[in-house]
Amino acid sequence: MTFDEYQKKAQETDIRPKEIKMICNGFGLIGELDELEEIQKYDSHYALGLSYEDDDIIKEVGDVCWYIASICTELNISLDYAIEVYNENESKGFEVSDMNMAEIFKKVYRDNDGKFTGEYKYKIIFYIGYLLQLYLDQFCDIRIAMKQNIKKLQSRKKRGKIKGSGNNR
């Protein structure tokens, strides 16, 4: 599955009203990244370097990818473009460690009327490129996670369970 295919299929399951998509998906991404870090920190399988093709980490990476795809769609960019931005600018001294995504989203809504323009948009695109290029690949094959994520979401949509919470609905 290509990034473009994934992004299109992911949007078929994003049912939030347009006016709240960015804020919901921004904080959703932050939450999923926290869950992924917890798995990395505490899961003995991960610490031992064992495969995750059928485990929770694939689900979490897929969830992170869904939020990324939704944010990119709202910014009118592709996932591949985010990677390009990261690769072109990483060597210029702009670092992911300089960013706090929650702070960026807060500032956009507090200071910029919810508009992701200029530096705010650039930082988010750079960060997403980093996640896609380096971070997520350390956990598993990102394309497998995307494929399983779409399968899960299409099943939920078909069963009318797209709303709600919990992994196994």
Side-chain angles (χ1 to χ4, degrees), residues 54-105:
D54 297 315
D55 289 318
D56 289 339
I57 204 149
I58 288 282
K59 291 177 187 174
E60 294 305 327
V61 169
D63 291 345
V64 169
C65 290
W66 186 88
Y67 283 108
I68 287 171
S70 200
I71 290 168
C72 285
T73 298
E74 288 303 303
L75 294 174
N76 293 316
I77 64 166
S78 69
L79 301 175
D80 287 316
Y81 177 73
I83 292 172
E84 286 175 34
V85 167
Y86 172 77
N87 287 333
E88 289 172 5
N89 293 288
E90 186 251 349
S91 63
K92 295 178 183 176
F94 198 71
E95 296 184 22
V96 170
S97 61
D98 295 336
M99 289 184 260
N100 176 321
M101 291 307 290
E103 193 68 24
I104 292 169
F105 275 87

Side-chain angles (χ1 to χ4, degrees), residues 11-24:
Q11 289 320 291
E12 293 171 7
T13 62
D14 191 350
I15 60 170
R16 292 183 181 95
K18 183 153 183 66
E19 52 280 354
I20 64 168
K21 276 188 184 185
M22 278 299 281
I23 192 73
C24 289

